[in-house]
Every structure is written in C-alpha cells, then in structure tokens.
Amino acid sequence: MRTPTDLHPPGACTDCRLRQTAGVLPVSKAELVRIQDFRHGARTVRAGGTVIAELSDPRHLYTLYAGWAFRFKTLKDGRRQILNFLLPGDFIGLQAEFADAATHGVEALTDVHLCTFPKAGLWNLFHEHPKLGYAVTWLCASEEQLVDENLVNVGQRSATERIATLLIHLSRRAQRVGLTDADGSFVFPLTQQHIADALGLSLVHTNKTLRKLARLGLHELRDGRLRIVKADALAQLADYAARPLRPVPLI
Amino acid sequence: MRTPTDLHPPGACTDCRLRQTAGVLPVSKAELVRIQDFRHGARTVRAGGTVIAELSDPRHLYTLYAGWAFRFKTLKDGRRQILNFLLPGDFIGLQAEFADAATHGVEALTDVHLCTFPKAGLWNLFHEHPKLGYAVTWLCASEEQLVDENLVNVGQRSATERIATLLIHLSRRAQRVGLTDADGSFVFPLTQQHIADALGLSLVHTNKTLRKLARLGLHELRDGRLRIVKADALAQLADYAARPLRPVPLI
DNA sequence: CGCATCGTTGACTTGGCTCAAAAAGTGTGG
DNA sequence: CCACACTTTTTGAGCCAAGTCAACGATGCG
C-alpha cells in the first residue's frame, strides 16, 4: 500500500519519484533546475473530475505525476471518443498551446496529481534550454504515436482484436512506469464505458467481448485490478508487435 | 495550367512559393537563412511511390513542397490504415526521429516534390534557433490534431458522416494552401480505396456511400477534381465544426 | 433503505462487410 | 487507331459483426 505522500509531487524536482524509474532519460543538474524553475505548482483532481475542459482555453500545461487520465473529444450529440489514456510522466496540454482553444478535454480516471507549468513559460523554456524544448517535441511526437496506434486499432481491427490490443498496451505502459505488482497485475481504473469509448464500440458489445476473453482465460479483471494471464495468446490475437519501449524524457 | 518549374522547390528559400501564401506565418530574415542552411536539397517521388518505407530508418526529414501524400500503417495481414493526408507545407518524418524506426510509412498520392533536411541537423536547429524548434513542435502538435480528428471520425461516426467530414476537411485544407480554383474545385487524387483505408470502411461501402452523397447533389467528383456543391448540407451531415484555420509555421 | 453506477445477459435489428461480376477509364505497344 | 492488360468505379445479393433495446444483479454510498 502506497502512502498518500507518495502521490503528491515533492517540492523539489530533485526528489521526483518518476525520475527514479528506469524508463526516464537522465537530465543534467542545470536542466533539472530549469525544469524546477518552469514548474509553477501542483494540482489535484478527483477521479472523474475535469483537468482541462473541452473548448476552454487552459492557462496551464501539466505533467501527470500520479494517477490515470484520458484525452477525449465529444460530438454535439454526445458521442464521445477517447483519444488516448494518460499515465504518469505524460505531458498534458501541448495541443491547446497551438490552437485557440483546447480541441479536446482531459478527464481524471483516478484521483490525479499534476505538476503545473504556466503556458506562457513554454517559449522561454525553448529559448533558454533548447534541449528541453527538444524533449517537449519528443513528448509530442510520442503522444501522436499513441493516437496513431489507436487509430489503426479502431479503423482496422475487430472488436476482439481491439480489446486485446488495448489490454496489452495499457499493461505495458503501466509496467514501464512501475505500476505493476510482482504478478504483473495493476490497478485498472477504466470502466467498460471507457473502453467502449476508446475503441469505438458499444458498451454492450464491449462487455460481451471482454467476457469472451476472460472465459478463454486470457486475462483476469477483479477488484479493479487487471492481470494479463496469457500475454502471448493476447498478443497473437491482436497482431501486436511488441516493440521495446524506449526511455522517454520527463519535463 | 502550372508550369513544371512551379512545382520544384526553388534553390533559395526566399523564393519559396509556399511562403507567399496567406496561411503561413512570416519569419525573420535570420530565421529564413537558418532554414535555408538546414535544408539539404530536394527530392521528387512519383505518384504511388514511397517517400518513407514502413519500418525503415529514414535519414531525412522533409517538407512537402508540392503534391499530395499520406501517412499509413499496415498490419501483418495487409490491412492498411491511412493516418492522415499530407498537403503542401506539411512537415514529414518527425515521429521517426524519436523512434528507432519509422512506425508508419509515407506514400505519394501524386507526383511529389520535397525539400529534404538531414535528420541529424534537427537538434542543431533547436539549439541555434529555438524559435524554429518551437515551430517544429507546433507542426507536430498540428499533425496530432489531424489524427485526433480522424480518430473521432472513425470511432464515432457513421459511414455517411465520415465521408462527408473527410470531403469538407480536405477541401478546406486544399483551399488554405491555394489549391482551389475560383469555383472551389480542386484536384482530388484519392481513389476510393484511399478513402476507405482512411475511414476504416470497405471499398464497396465507400463507393455506395459516395454515390449516395453525389446523388443528393452534395458534391461532384469528375475528371479527378472535387467540388463541394452544398457545403452547408455536408457540414450539417458531418456535425462539422468549422473552426477557422490558423496560420501555420513553415520549415 | 433508496438511489446511482456498473456489469451482465438475452433477443432482435441493421449498417456495413464479403463475394461476384460488369462497366468504365487509362496506359502501352503494335 | 485498335487490341490488350490493368486499375478503378459501380451495382446486386446475401450475410454477419456489432448495434440497439430491455431487463436484472451486484456493488457502493448518503
């Protein structure tokens, strides 16, 4: 059991828990100071709460420090598409920086702790520490890759394949940021409605497909935790190419 | 009729035809020199040819100077998803810069003329001219927005809505870079197979849906040119929010 | 206990897919 | 100019994966 203090960003970036995980690129002392300087404060959003409202003009950028969230777009008639899920270390709010208003919303799946950065400071960051600007671009390109993958998933794969892909993918991302237990299980905060909205499926069909996979013993979803039981079978089902995850920069 | 020389990038970036169009942000003289310096040469790819092969490790970045192209991903069994279409001014190859290998391919729809930049020079660009690095990030974020929109389209909308959205969207993008005639028509190089692959529809259903829209008099597609006839009706069909297109940077 | 959210299941319908084949371009070489 | 091969567009017929509608359990909270 984690103590609550684990989840709040520390005052000093040098104490950042995320930076101690394996998948994060090391930064120089000077860069770390600059990041700390760019940082504005912290913010907490309750599960289900709004991090960035659709169509708003947010004043902040964020790094997700702890918890899960997702980016989404809503149509006039209420249909909602989840674009991608956000895990600790992900940078939030870049698109909005380059558009008049947020073209998508961001919502917390669990209680979420964020480091906040003033939007106006981004250009300065690029100016004074181009390397960190480069890192921001990197993060942006990575996020685009997530969306690319989700698009292939939704556009080309069957319901079964889509769900298999999503489960594997989230499991790998969770593992990367150290959210998984020894047995490979991890807290899985999505409802079936979230899965449906991310994959372009109806709620009912999502449920039936999930049950089918569970009956086949490919995964277990109990007490809000997911455990991938037969990773290889799932991967085969999904035509999932397990590319090694590269270390990423962290702002 | 354009003369062929129009289509080839000029030797000097100061003569760049694209930079004279309305939708492009102005740059300082120094920046233009820096861009020229970053530029490595030019390249032409025939219609149907490969700009970047899937899984390859491309050595170049590109700006699309003239012609149409698209980004795509292919599954093992041959299913293909078109991620987004590329029009003049679009920057190509960023994702590959931050991954081991190109996670997607880029193919020319028409004959295509590209400005080439050495991949290795990108970091220098950020370093020496942070403003241009900022512009690159901007372009990256814009492309992500394109993919976001396509994902909403594919995930949530019906076939009719998807096609209506695509037609309007491409028409607006074409207009922005000055590809449309006085009557609003423009060269439309996509086959129905391309549309199908972009929207996650079968070829047959794509054809039937297109015919339906044409019979309703919403658009005309003849001699390889598209003309949107009833833009408002199409937009309503698609729940298309016509956000004004902002000026973009050009590298 | 009552209300709300989430998961589960069955019955029925349908939008979009597959198969098949013809018609209409497009380009090439003789 | 025609013959031929190839690609692209069209159309019809039948089917199925996934959607809709409806209902019921389970769980949790004030």
Side-chain angles (χ1 to χ4, degrees):
Chain A
M1 195 76 179
R2 281 220 166 76
T3 62
T5 48
D6 261 336
L7 298 175
H8 285 90
C13 291
T14 39
D15 299 334
C16 181
R17 178 177 50 81
L18 283 177
R19 231 169 258 293
Q20 276 133 42
T21 57
V24 171
L25 285 172
V27 292
S28 74
K29 204 155 230 171
E31 282 154 13
L32 198 57
V33 168
R34 188 61 190 77
I35 292 174
Q36 171 91 56
D37 191 46
F38 181 30
R39 197 175 80 147
H40 184 273
R43 184 180 163 202
T44 296
V45 177
R46 290 276 155 222
T50 300
V51 177
I52 296 179
E54 235 174 333
L55 303 178
S56 72
D57 187 8
R59 285 188 316 268
H60 294 99
L61 300 165
Y62 302 98
T63 287
L64 183 49
Y65 182 77
W68 292 53
F70 61 90
R71 298 198 309 125
F72 67 97
K73 274 172 173 273
T74 312
L75 299 184
K76 283 209 205 74
D77 62 9
R79 284 175 287 181
R80 177 177 75 168
Q81 176 68 41
I82 292 182
L83 302 166
N84 62 281
F85 294 99
L86 300 165
L87 267 67
D90 287 339
F91 198 65
I92 301 177
L94 253 191
Q95 294 78 11
E97 165 67 14
F98 299 106
D100 324 285
T103 54
H104 62 263
V106 176
E107 190 176 311
L109 270 171
T110 64
D111 286 357
V112 139
H113 301 276
L114 307 141
C115 297
T116 67
F117 306 92
K119 202 171 125 174
L122 184 63
W123 158 239
N124 252 329
L125 186 75
F126 270 75
H127 183 60
E128 292 172 21
H129 256 277
K131 195 155 184 188
L132 294 178
Y134 196 72
V136 169
T137 310
W138 181 317
L139 290 169
C140 182
S142 318
E143 186 171 274
E144 182 176 347
Q145 288 201 30
L146 288 187
V147 186
D148 283 353
E149 275 178 35
N150 203 184
L151 177 53
V152 176
N153 215 10
V154 173
Q156 301 299 326
R157 292 200 247 245
S158 71
T160 310
E161 294 170 321
R162 289 184 214 182
I163 290 189
T165 309
L166 181 69
L167 295 186
I168 299 183
H169 193 230
L170 287 180
S171 149
R172 297 191 74 215
R173 289 182 63 199
Q175 185 162 34
R176 174 216 216 104
V177 286
L179 291 175
T180 47
D181 271 8
D183 67 345
S185 76
F186 59 99
V187 172
F188 189 79
L190 319 203
T191 68
Q192 296 186 353
Q193 185 67 63
H194 291 124
I195 300 179
D197 287 348
L199 300 180
L201 295 170
S202 73
L203 175 59
V204 173
H205 197 60
T206 299
N207 175 278
K208 287 175 180 170
T209 309
L210 265 173
R211 305 275 28 246
K212 192 181 77 179
L213 293 183
R215 261 198 303 278
L216 290 172
L218 303 189
H219 76 275
E220 281 173 14
L221 190 40
R222 261 207 325 270
D223 308 326
R225 296 186 68 85
L226 172 66
R227 193 165 71 89
I228 305 289
V229 180
K230 299 184 183 169
D232 46 351
L234 266 181
Q236 180 155 21
L237 232 176
D239 182 23
Y240 188 90
R243 199 190 270 295
L245 296 176
R246 307 178 82 203
V248 288
L250 175 67
I251 302 288
Chain B
M1 192 76 178
R2 281 218 166 77
T3 62
T5 48
D6 261 336
L7 299 176
H8 284 91
C13 290
T14 39
D15 299 335
C16 180
R17 178 176 50 80
L18 283 177
R19 229 169 260 293
Q20 276 132 42
T21 57
V24 171
L25 285 173
V27 292
S28 73
K29 204 156 230 169
E31 281 154 13
L32 199 56
V33 167
R34 189 60 191 79
I35 291 175
Q36 170 92 55
D37 191 45
F38 181 30
R39 198 175 79 149
H40 183 273
R43 182 180 165 202
T44 296
V45 177
R46 291 275 156 223
T50 300
V51 177
I52 295 179
E54 234 175 333
L55 303 180
S56 72
D57 187 10
R59 285 188 315 268
H60 295 97
L61 300 164
Y62 303 97
T63 287
L64 183 50
Y65 183 76
W68 293 54
F70 61 89
R71 298 198 309 125
F72 67 97
K73 274 172 173 272
T74 312
L75 300 185
K76 283 208 205 76
D77 62 9
R79 284 175 287 181
R80 178 178 73 167
Q81 176 69 42
I82 292 182
L83 303 166
N84 63 282
F85 293 99
L86 300 165
L87 268 67
D90 287 340
F91 198 64
I92 301 177
L94 253 191
Q95 294 77 13
E97 165 68 13
F98 299 106
D100 325 283
T103 52
H104 61 265
V106 176
E107 190 176 310
L109 270 172
T110 63
D111 287 356
V112 139
H113 301 276
L114 307 142
C115 297
T116 67
F117 305 91
K119 203 171 125 173
L122 184 64
W123 159 238
N124 251 329
L125 186 76
F126 270 76
H127 184 60
E128 292 172 21
H129 256 277
K131 196 157 183 187
L132 295 178
Y134 196 71
V136 168
T137 310
W138 182 316
L139 290 169
C140 183
S142 317
E143 186 171 274
E144 182 176 347
Q145 288 201 30
L146 288 188
V147 186
D148 282 354
E149 276 178 34
N150 204 186
L151 177 55
V152 176
N153 215 9
V154 173
Q156 301 299 324
R157 292 199 247 245
S158 72
T160 309
E161 294 170 321
R162 290 184 213 182
I163 291 189
T165 309
L166 181 69
L167 296 184
I168 300 184
H169 193 231
L170 287 179
S171 149
R172 298 190 75 216
R173 288 183 63 199
Q175 184 161 35
R176 172 215 217 106
V177 288
L179 292 175
T180 48
D181 271 9
D183 68 344
S185 75
F186 59 100
V187 172
F188 189 78
L190 319 203
T191 67
Q192 295 185 357
Q193 185 67 64
H194 291 125
I195 300 179
D197 287 348
L199 300 180
L201 296 171
S202 73
L203 175 59
V204 173
H205 197 61
T206 300
N207 175 277
K208 287 175 179 170
T209 309
L210 265 173
R211 304 277 27 247
K212 191 181 78 179
L213 293 182
R215 261 197 305 277
L216 291 172
L218 303 189
H219 75 278
E220 279 172 16
L221 190 39
R222 262 205 326 269
D223 308 327
R225 297 185 67 85
L226 172 67
R227 194 164 72 88
I228 305 289
V229 181
K230 299 183 183 169
D232 46 351
L234 266 182
Q236 180 155 21
L237 232 177
D239 182 24
Y240 187 90
R243 199 191 272 293
L245 295 177
R246 308 177 80 203
V248 288
L250 175 67
I251 301 287

